[in-house]
Amino acid sequence: MSRIATVRGREVLDSRGRPTVEAEVVLDDGVRVHASVPSGASTGRHEAHELRDGDLSRYRGRGVRTAVANVRDLLEPAVAGLDPTRQEEVDAALIAADGTPEKSRAGANAVLAVSLAVARAGACSRGIPLWQHLIGDEDPVMPRPMINLISGGLHARRNLDLQDFLIVPVGAATYPEALEASSAVIEATGEILRERGLSTLHADEGGFGPALAGHRDALELAATAVERAGLRLGDDVAFALDVAATHFQDPATGLYDLTAEGRVVDAAGMVDLLEGWMREFPIVSIEDPLAEDDWDGWKLASERLGRSAQVVGDDLFTTNATRLRRGVRDGAANSVLVKMNQIGTLSETLALAELARAAGYGIVVSARSGETEDDALADLAVAARGGQIKVGSLTQSERLAKYNRLLRILDEVGPHTALPRWEWAWAR
Ligand SMILES: O=C(O)[C@@H](CO)OP(=O)(O)O
Ligand SMILES: [Mg+2]
């Protein structure tokens, strides 16, 4: 059996050019691997703590030197000598070494980098792919991608309040077909934007970030693009939204300030607006329709929108079991977004996916808006068996690392190549 010999951290850059943490793990059998962690922009208040340096002289205070030092000083002593194939033991040791509920002492960025690097080392020393190492005896499930087409909110800083307009290739039976349909819609969107004299520049996750007339304009643009690509709206390709409503809720009043609509609405008003769009357009998944602590609003959203769409909690749940249990008890949603760095270890992430599965919740494994070229997310999505992944657009290498890793995984999963059937139909 191999043992963890050394663990070191280093600073690498993410897709916004900001520093993030990479951990390198060396085993006593000679295996040497690294893993790096992503970083969000529209982060939820209940996420695990990403440790950033307070020193404003470098990277305007966004450095991760302390987190990097913690990998060596706090975390290496906790896991050195452990068996890298026993992920839960390793993660328990990391959690104990940090000792805080939000992983604020070591930094969730330091903890997750080590957790992921150890998993990769364990897979390497067993000579099997990472997804297989994580999945145990279960069958792998290829994930259907939901792909960012148009960005607004904090990712594009244009005039749309909603953060993501995504396409879901609901009719695709296989992952390559899903990519092909999505790529055709992205190209058609670019064409239409050029014809309209609008910008085709990309936002943080590679989606288009044009100055559109409003949210309805974005939905119409997406619908036209699907048709121009020769695909059937709602049958081949449907839509998903990440409203990311926390970021336009007025903290003083609890109301939602939709600049692009020229309206301030309460939770019921938000639901009315979304319901109206759902009747007109094939929206089959809605993430964060309301703010992270608006539990009553979420109940209403899930009653009304959840009949025909996936209602996904991202900022609401922050990959946190306590919050997910509350959501299940209160009927606040019917699906959960799973982001490793919201909770900080791989074992806790996989346990959260199990909890969601047991509750009959949908599971969408998601990247962050600041990503690195690390591709472990693809393996996680297959191992989490939720059948869905959200990574951004198809146009940037930090996203392609995951999309292309899934194409390689397709050659590793034996007979399990089909995508699970898409459950939600457009309620026209
Ligand atoms: O809100 C989200 O779902 C993610 C990814 O789109 O964004 P961020 O990483 O900025 O939180
Ligand atoms: Mg989100």
Side-chain angles (χ1 to χ4, degrees):
M1 189 215 314
S2 52
R3 298 278 172 191
I4 298 171
T6 61
V7 186
R8 286 291 183 277
R10 69 170 69 87
E11 188 178 280
V12 294
L13 298 184
D14 73 14
S15 52
R16 280 189 276 254
R18 293 183 189 165
T20 187
V21 182
E22 178 164 283
E24 186 162 294
V25 165
V26 180
L27 305 183
D28 62 3
D29 63 6
V31 163
R32 173 189 291 264
V33 295
H34 60 261
S36 54
V37 301
S39 175
S42 72
T43 48
R45 199 153 64 85
H46 306 285
E47 294 192 18
H49 184 78
E50 181 184 85
L51 191 61
R52 294 275 167 189
D53 301 329
D55 174 5
L56 291 172
S57 63
R58 200 160 161 252
Y59 296 122
R60 297 167 63 206
R62 293 191 295 244
V64 290
R65 275 177 291 175
T66 317
V68 162
N70 288 345
V71 170
R72 186 195 56 208
D73 299 340
L74 267 177
L75 303 178
E76 185 193 61
V79 299
L82 296 186
D83 176 351
T85 65
R86 303 176 75 111
Q87 189 68 36
E88 284 178 17
E89 243 171 63
V90 169
D91 287 340
L94 294 172
I95 291 166
D98 170 79
T100 67
E102 305 84 20
K103 301 186 177 66
S104 52
R105 181 162 169 244
N109 39 355
V111 173
L112 180 63
V114 177
S115 176
L116 268 181
V118 169
R120 189 166 270 146
C124 247
S125 94
R126 291 175 68 194
I128 58 174
L130 180 57
W131 65 264
Q132 201 175 1
H133 175 56
L134 300 177
I135 209 170
D137 296 329
E138 304 291 341
D139 287 336
V141 179
M142 287 300 294
R144 186 181 304 277
M146 47 171 74
I147 294 183
N148 190 303
L149 188 68
I150 300 160
S151 292
L154 295 178
H155 292 173
R157 297 181 188 277
R158 287 278 198 169
N159 49 338
L160 301 180
D161 308 291
L162 268 62
Q163 182 174 287
D164 299 338
F165 295 78
L166 306 107
I167 45 176
V168 191
V170 291
T174 65
Y175 175 69
E177 278 173 42
L179 289 186
E180 209 175 301
S182 306
S183 159
V185 178
I186 292 171
E187 275 200 41
T189 307
E191 244 174 62
I192 299 168
L193 288 173
R194 277 188 292 275
E195 285 166 16
R196 288 178 58 181
L198 290 168
S199 164
T200 54
L201 292 178
H202 294 164
D204 285 5
E205 297 189 300
F208 293 109
L212 294 171
H215 300 116
R216 232 187 135 277
D217 190 18
L219 289 163
E220 260 176 11
L221 169 64
T224 314
V226 169
E227 277 157 4
R228 167 127 17 148
L231 296 161
R232 291 167 306 159
L233 195 60
D235 297 319
D236 293 324
V237 175
F239 300 157
L241 300 176
D242 182 0
V243 179
T246 304
H247 304 284
F248 53 85
Q249 186 194 38
D250 179 343
T253 60
L255 297 175
Y256 297 92
D257 189 352
L258 289 149
T259 331
E261 303 294 317
R263 286 162 64 185
V264 177
V265 296
D266 61 6
M270 268 312 292
V271 174
D272 288 340
L273 192 66
L274 293 165
E275 216 172 36
W277 290 333
M278 278 169 75
R279 261 183 243 117
E280 232 184 313
F281 299 99
I283 298 168
V284 292
S285 177
I286 301 188
E287 181 182 328
D288 285 353
L290 295 160
E292 58 198 355
D293 289 312
D294 190 350
W295 290 94
D296 291 337
W298 273 88
K299 269 210 272 207
L300 184 72
S302 121
E303 275 161 28
R304 284 174 51 192
L305 311 177
R307 284 187 221 127
S308 59
Q310 180 169 249
V311 178
V312 191
D314 169 14
D315 289 353
L316 178 73
F317 293 137
T318 55
T319 317
N320 179 302
T322 310
R323 292 185 67 85
L324 180 60
R325 276 195 206 96
R326 174 170 177 189
V328 171
R329 191 192 63 212
D330 293 359
N334 59 30
S335 299
V336 59
L337 203 78
V338 174
K339 291 168 165 169
M340 288 186 274
N341 78 332
Q342 284 183 330
I343 191 67
T345 65
L346 199 45
S347 304
E348 288 167 289
T349 308
L350 287 165
L352 191 283
E354 279 313 316
L355 186 66
R357 196 185 335 279
Y361 264 45
I363 300 163
V364 186
V365 168
S366 172
R368 300 306 306 244
S369 49
E371 273 290 334
T372 71
E373 68 278 22
D374 195 291
D375 59 8
L377 190 81
D379 291 76
L380 173 74
V382 172
R385 297 183 295 128
Q388 295 187 66
I389 190 168
K390 179 179 112 165
V391 184
S393 190
L394 298 175
T395 51
Q396 296 178 178
S397 307
E398 78 281 4
R399 320 276 148 195
L400 290 177
K402 284 76 162 169
Y403 287 122
N404 287 341
R405 170 70 189 127
L406 283 169
L407 287 167
R408 293 179 196 109
I409 291 177
L410 204 55
D411 290 333
E412 299 169 353
V413 293
H416 307 284
T417 53
L419 294 176
R421 208 176 58 82
W422 180 264
E423 279 184 49
W424 305 93
W426 180 16
R428 277 173 248 218

